[in-house]
Amino acid sequence: MSEHPDCALVRRGYTAFVAGDMDTLGELFTADAVFHVPGDHILSGHHKGREAIMGLFRRIGEETAGTMQIQIETILADGRGHVMSFHTTRADRGDRGLEMREGLFFSIAGGKITDIDECVEDIDELNAFWR
């Protein structure tokens, strides 16, 4: 059984993110895409536009000194332009460590990501890590 094209798109995004391949990653988003990060910390909020999203990803790398690791659990599609992915994130930042299950809800149109909503297992723990 072949992977749904929307799932394949999201998987390519994960692969590019983990490899630090920002050029490939940037190509997967529409120019006006939005990434919604939950919580109340330095990265939370609505990152509007491809360049803002790429800036978010660069900052994550800088803040964690490249220690972030992502382990994909599953990627699911509805066949109507929506994908849900679930993964475990591990990262270090200063004297703090993070290991948390997260989920991303993607909206896709024309083979590009238009919107991502991030959901996390423990918002308080996420806030403490990024503050």
Side-chain angles (χ1 to χ4, degrees):
M1 183 180 337
S2 65
E3 185 171 52
H4 188 278
D6 291 344
C7 290
L9 174 71
V10 168
R11 190 174 303 280
R12 281 182 41 222
Y14 271 100
T15 300
F17 180 84
V18 169
D21 182 354
M22 293 300 151
D23 290 336
T24 296
L25 194 54
E27 293 172 2
L28 305 180
F29 290 92
T30 60
D32 61 349
V34 181
F35 195 124
H36 310 274
V37 178
D40 180 21
H41 54 80
I42 63 171
L43 301 179
S44 62
H46 308 285
H47 302 271
K48 298 176 182 178
R50 181 186 302 124
E51 294 310 313
I53 294 169
M54 294 301 101
L56 168 67
F57 294 156
R58 280 189 289 278
R59 183 147 186 211
I60 289 169
E62 292 166 3
E63 293 285 338
T64 63
T67 64
M68 182 170 280
Q69 299 174 16
I70 305 290
Q71 181 179 356
I72 299 171
E73 295 173 22
T74 192
I75 300 174
L76 310 169
D78 72 354
R80 296 179 290 117
H82 301 108
V83 171
M84 293 183 344
S85 67
F86 299 92
H87 63 266
T88 298
T89 298
R90 292 175 185 85
D92 294 312
R93 183 169 179 257
D95 63 349
R96 295 179 184 208
L98 178 72
E99 182 170 340
M100 183 178 299
R101 291 187 70 225
E102 299 181 345
L104 299 175
F105 182 81
F106 295 83
S107 295
I108 297 170
K112 301 244 183 202
I113 298 165
T114 63
D115 195 84
I116 303 174
D117 278 295
E118 180 180 3
C119 297
V120 298
E121 188 172 52
D122 186 334
I123 289 178
D124 292 335
E125 182 181 346
L126 185 75
N127 285 337
F129 180 76
W130 289 113
R131 281 194 182 134

